[in-house]
Amino acid sequence: MATVSIVMGSDSDMPVMAKAVEVLEQFGIDYEIRIISAHREPDIFVEYAKTAKDRGVKCIIAGAGKAAHLPGMCAAVFEGPVIGIPMKTSDLGGVDSLYSIVQMPTGVPVATVAINGGANAGILAVKMLAMNDVALAAKMHNFIVEQKESVEAKDSKLQNEGYKAFL
């Protein structure tokens, strides 16, 4: 059973959403991934969101561009947490998507990451799930330590070899 559901309104969102998938795979989290349009197939969307909890889904990651209603509609129907990923758009650069996702009414929150923030959406989902999973929390701790050590190694290289080593 999928613990996280990843949904997008268009296949053009796949490069960004794939980053969330990669994070979930890195942490060994089961997921499902779907392309469902809340605007073009509302009946299919509502069935998807209404049955998510019964399918074992504990968190939804929803990506959307322009009007970006998919994350908010997920939050309106699904009882668990929803993470929205605003997609960069050709018209307004993704600010339209960001505003649409982040400006939810009281009582229907969507946790929102940066425009095209697929990896951070995956990491946020892992952090949420790790609150009730000791093994997953240990993996997240190791991930955080690895990030710290990576930055320390880069600074050491900078101090020893100078800035030209990075050009």
Side-chain angles (χ1 to χ4, degrees):
M1 290 176 59
T3 305
V4 176
S5 184
I6 297 172
V7 63
M8 66 204 86
S10 170
D11 62 329
S12 64
D13 301 334
M14 191 62 75
V16 172
M17 302 309 283
K19 292 177 182 179
V21 170
E22 290 167 2
V23 169
L24 297 177
E25 288 179 345
Q26 176 184 346
F27 283 89
I29 295 174
D30 292 328
Y31 63 89
E32 63 181 20
I33 186 166
R34 301 285 307 269
I35 298 172
I36 302 174
S37 173
H39 297 120
R40 294 180 187 94
E41 45 187 14
D43 52 337
I44 293 171
F45 164 75
V46 169
E47 182 66 19
Y48 155 81
K50 273 187 172 181
T51 61
K53 184 177 178 182
D54 294 337
R55 293 193 313 274
V57 173
K58 294 182 177 155
C59 176
I60 293 177
I61 298 173
K66 298 192 178 187
H69 293 142
L70 189 60
M73 288 303 297
C74 285
V77 177
F78 177 64
E79 293 179 12
V82 175
I83 302 167
I85 305 173
M87 295 294 158
K88 184 174 182 183
T89 60
S90 57
D91 300 325
L92 298 172
V95 174
D96 47 345
S97 310
L98 174 65
Y99 287 166
S100 181
I101 295 171
V102 78
Q103 290 293 353
M104 291 299 297
T106 300
V108 191
V110 174
T112 309
V113 296
I115 296 168
N116 284 357
N120 268 353
I123 293 166
L124 182 55
V126 173
K127 285 186 169 194
M128 288 175 176
L129 296 170
M131 295 300 296
N132 295 311
D133 184 326
V134 174
L136 192 54
K139 288 181 184 180
M140 178 52 67
H141 173 77
N142 291 340
F143 173 79
I144 292 168
V145 169
E146 288 170 10
Q147 284 189 309
K148 177 182 178 274
E149 290 173 349
S150 173
V151 173
E152 289 171 344
K154 290 173 186 175
D155 183 56
S156 178
K157 181 177 178 178
L158 175 62
Q159 300 311 309
N160 292 326
E161 300 176 32
Y163 76 93
K164 292 183 181 179
F166 292 89
L167 302 177

